[in-house]
Amino acid sequence: MSQDAAPSPRQGRVQVVGTAHVSKESVAEVEETIRAERPDVVAVELDEGRYRQLKGGTPDDIEPGDLLSGNTVFQFIAYWMLSYVQAQLGEKFDISPGADMLAAVDTAEAEGIDVALVDRDIQTTIQRFWARMSVVEKFRMVGGLAFGVSDARAVGIVVGLLAGLLVGPLVGLFGGTVGITPFVLGRVAGGAILAVAAGLAVQTLADGFTEGDDALFLGIGVGLAIGLVAGVGLGLAAPLVDRLSPFFVRAVGSLAIGIGIGVTLGGLGGLAAHRLGLGSHEEVEEFEMSDLTDADVVSVMMEEFRAFSPGGAEALIDERDAYIAHQLVALRQNGQHVVAVVGAGHRAGIESYLESPETLPPMESLVGAPTKRGIPWGKIIGVGLSVVFVGFFVLLAMAGVRNGFLLRVFAAWFLINGLFAAAGAKLAGARWLSALVGGAVAWLTSVNPLLAPGWFTGYMELRHTPVNVTDIGRLNELLADEARSIRTIVADMFDVPLFRLIMVVAMTNIGSIVASLLFVAYVLPLFAADLGGVDAVTRLMLDGATNSADLIWRAVT
């Protein structure tokens, strides 16, 4: 597995040893090669942080301010995915991931040989990896992690629930155009109430004689069936619905339609994935040791990703090949005899650069903040939403609408966004102060959608609870326990600071998004009624635009 790169006269030489990061044979080869060659330097595929962690030290915590940049949590998810796959393979072959690098360091130190850390900082790599991936690729990657570590049925239901929360307000806003009348909404609202009550009762009873998460799935199935048949079909909840306000019935009914569609489709998709084995660990079991000696585990996985994410593979593999080669070329030019221990997936690229150093890209192109490619759709959409939000108030003000009315609309927007964002954060385990801060800034997501309230909630959490990459190891241990139910595992995961931080950030943002949709679908029409209805508001906004144009014209002429 090792090969000498041809040295130039009066230079040192570099011997590259390619290893599988979870292979016992690789550990033995590393130790034997170093003792046999007695090089001046042993170069290892590690950075300072990973070296410190490998030697039993504590990695740096996330700085609270870093979270406000917006991508830190997602980068940790990417890191978590890579770490989980490597941990699973290490467990399969009964060896700790990174044992090859630790063996290289320990052997070099025992022989009195200098050690050089030649890999790029892992945070830079993950940042560039995340930035190079498209939005679709990121969802696919996170989905792959979810299906790899959880029951596919549960993943499908959760995804369907989240999708339903977003679809529900759209049903309330536009449902009338497709035949969703107040009568239909009333039947569905009654069915939703019966479904929740029946589902909770069945789950509680089933907990006594079922194992794992079967009680949860049984409760959901029976609840949906009773809600559809007794509530929607037979209208048995009509007497209760008649006592509720029309606004509440409309909101519950449309949300129930969206959630029902989402959970049903998500559950069916998850069940299909479960039947196909997508939620199992069989794919890990298919790896043979002969495969692992040809490429390290990260490269094996990323070569599969290269088909749909060339940019992500470039950051994780190709750029690191060039970065490591830069370090090795410098050592060689200093006349050093180097044994370089790297993942086998990097060996070919590194050796190619060692043979032709003139082909190396500039070092400055391999470090620092990544350059985002393509059209910045996120920023374009964010600016567009900001213009719509601000324009709504400005145009109504220019049309002569009273300031008191506009203040009431803004106050309602502030309170609803704040309530849902804070509630989401609190449900995820945030402190009261953190939840209140997230709720207080939630309205800003309309003025600037790129300022997600979850980042502020997470910032407050990090001021009290340290989070670092060692939490990923604890999460991997929990997820590897297939004997316990998903609910028990998830409950324990919330005790891990990194997972709780991820959930706090996510739930704060989801709460704000849902609140925005609910406000537009249900609350804004109530305010519009004070001005004569939605059509009247539209006419007022047109009048405001006309008045604004006249004012600008007079100012410039």
Side-chain angles (χ1 to χ4, degrees):
M1 287 189 59
S2 62
Q3 178 177 335
D4 286 327
S8 301
R10 296 181 300 279
Q11 284 189 334
R13 63 190 181 94
V14 177
Q15 182 176 356
V16 180
V17 180
T19 71
H21 291 324
V22 292
S23 165
K24 288 182 178 179
E25 287 79 2
S26 291
V27 171
E29 181 187 12
V30 166
E31 295 172 344
E32 293 170 2
T33 301
I34 294 173
R35 291 192 177 103
E37 292 293 327
R38 299 288 305 175
D40 301 312
V41 178
V42 172
V44 290
E45 183 195 324
L46 292 173
D47 64 344
E48 286 285 349
R50 284 181 291 158
Y51 170 79
R52 190 165 63 248
Q53 186 179 359
L54 203 62
K55 296 291 285 184
T58 303
D60 295 331
D61 297 335
I62 300 178
E63 290 296 328
D66 292 342
L67 197 64
L68 298 180
S69 64
N71 283 325
T72 303
V73 168
F74 297 115
Q75 290 159 12
F76 261 85
I77 292 175
Y79 193 10
W80 181 11
M81 179 179 181
L82 301 177
S83 172
Y84 178 77
V85 173
Q86 193 174 62
Q88 289 295 298
L89 291 170
E91 182 179 352
K92 172 180 169 62
F93 295 108
D94 192 27
I95 190 170
S96 300
D100 52 348
M101 297 299 149
L102 182 59
V105 172
D106 288 345
T107 304
E109 292 176 348
E111 299 293 329
I113 301 171
D114 290 338
V115 175
L117 308 178
V118 294
D119 200 4
R120 185 171 63 185
D121 182 85
I122 185 62
Q123 296 302 322
T124 299
T125 295
I126 295 299
Q127 287 171 7
R128 296 172 73 94
F129 168 60
W130 187 258
R132 295 285 171 81
M133 298 179 74
S134 69
V135 173
V136 174
E137 292 164 1
K138 291 171 182 176
F139 275 111
R140 289 175 63 186
M141 187 195 72
V142 175
L145 173 63
F147 278 107
V149 302
S150 182
D151 189 307
R153 296 169 296 176
V155 173
I157 290 172
V158 171
V159 171
L161 175 62
L162 295 177
L165 286 173
L166 301 179
V167 172
L170 299 179
V171 172
L173 196 59
F174 304 108
T177 60
V178 293
I180 301 179
T181 63
F183 173 79
V184 172
L185 291 176
R187 282 293 184 95
V188 173
I193 294 172
L194 291 180
V196 171
L200 290 174
V202 169
Q203 180 186 334
T204 301
L205 294 174
D207 272 332
F209 58 86
T210 58
E211 296 180 355
D213 296 289
D214 291 340
L216 173 63
F217 300 129
L218 183 62
I220 292 174
V222 172
L224 284 175
I226 291 179
L228 288 172
V229 175
V232 179
L234 302 178
L236 297 183
L240 173 62
V241 172
D242 291 340
R243 296 174 178 271
L244 303 175
S245 70
F247 171 77
F248 181 82
V249 172
R250 178 167 169 260
V252 172
S254 56
L255 279 175
I257 291 174
I259 292 173
I261 293 173
V263 169
T264 301
L265 295 179
L268 291 175
L271 180 61
H274 179 75
R275 295 295 185 186
L276 294 173
L278 298 181
S280 69
H281 302 296
E282 293 179 0
E283 295 179 16
V284 172
E285 298 298 321
E286 294 174 359
F287 281 103
E288 298 293 339
M289 184 58 68
S290 59
D291 297 326
L292 292 178
T293 57
D294 290 331
D296 66 28
V297 61
V298 175
S299 296
V300 167
M301 184 181 66
M302 285 310 301
E303 286 300 336
E304 297 177 1
F305 282 176
R306 195 186 291 275
F308 75 86
S309 181
E314 178 185 352
L316 197 64
I317 302 173
D318 302 335
E319 289 184 356
R320 289 172 64 212
D321 289 350
Y323 185 94
I324 293 172
H326 266 292
Q327 309 300 318
L328 298 179
V329 166
L331 290 171
R332 186 175 66 183
Q333 289 175 344
N334 288 333
Q336 302 288 317
H337 172 202
V338 182
V339 168
V341 182
V342 301
H346 294 288
R347 186 184 60 181
I350 291 172
E351 289 180 342
S352 175
Y353 284 128
L354 291 174
E355 292 172 0
S356 305
E358 68 277 3
T359 62
L360 278 169
M363 177 62 87
E364 56 268 22
S365 68
L366 305 174
V367 296
T371 301
K372 295 187 178 181
R373 303 170 181 176
I375 300 174
W377 291 112
K379 291 184 178 180
I380 292 174
I381 294 173
V383 171
L385 292 175
S386 300
V387 171
V388 170
F389 179 81
V390 175
F392 172 79
F393 287 95
V394 170
L395 292 179
L396 288 183
M398 293 300 296
V401 175
R402 299 184 308 275
N403 291 337
F405 174 84
L406 297 177
L407 286 175
R408 290 198 305 274
V409 173
F410 179 80
W413 175 267
F414 178 88
L415 291 174
I416 291 174
N417 263 271
L419 177 64
F420 275 76
K426 195 60 188 170
L427 285 174
R431 291 174 172 79
W432 277 110
L433 180 59
S434 302
L436 292 174
V437 168
V441 302
W443 68 275
L444 284 170
T445 59
S446 299
V447 179
N448 185 355
L450 301 180
L451 291 177
W455 308 139
F456 294 88
T457 308
Y459 172 86
M460 296 300 298
E461 285 293 292
L462 284 176
R463 290 169 61 89
H464 299 280
T465 305
V467 171
N468 57 56
V469 295
T470 57
D471 290 343
I472 292 177
R474 174 60 180 154
L475 290 173
N476 289 341
E477 292 175 4
L478 291 172
L479 294 171
D481 187 353
E482 299 181 6
R484 296 188 300 164
S485 68
I486 293 175
R487 284 181 294 169
T488 304
I489 292 174
V490 171
D492 288 343
M493 289 173 68
F494 270 96
D495 292 331
V496 180
L498 174 60
F499 183 79
R500 188 167 64 250
L501 174 69
I502 291 173
M503 293 306 299
V504 164
V505 170
M507 289 299 293
T508 305
N509 291 336
I510 290 172
S512 180
I513 292 171
V514 171
S516 299
L517 293 173
L518 292 175
F519 181 85
V520 173
Y522 307 124
V523 179
L524 195 57
L526 295 179
F527 282 99
D530 292 343
L531 299 178
V534 175
D535 292 339
V537 172
T538 302
R539 289 194 299 271
L540 285 171
M541 292 180 68
L542 291 174
D543 291 341
T546 301
N547 293 340
S548 299
D550 291 340
L551 181 63
I552 294 172
W553 177 255
R554 288 196 299 269
V556 298
T557 58

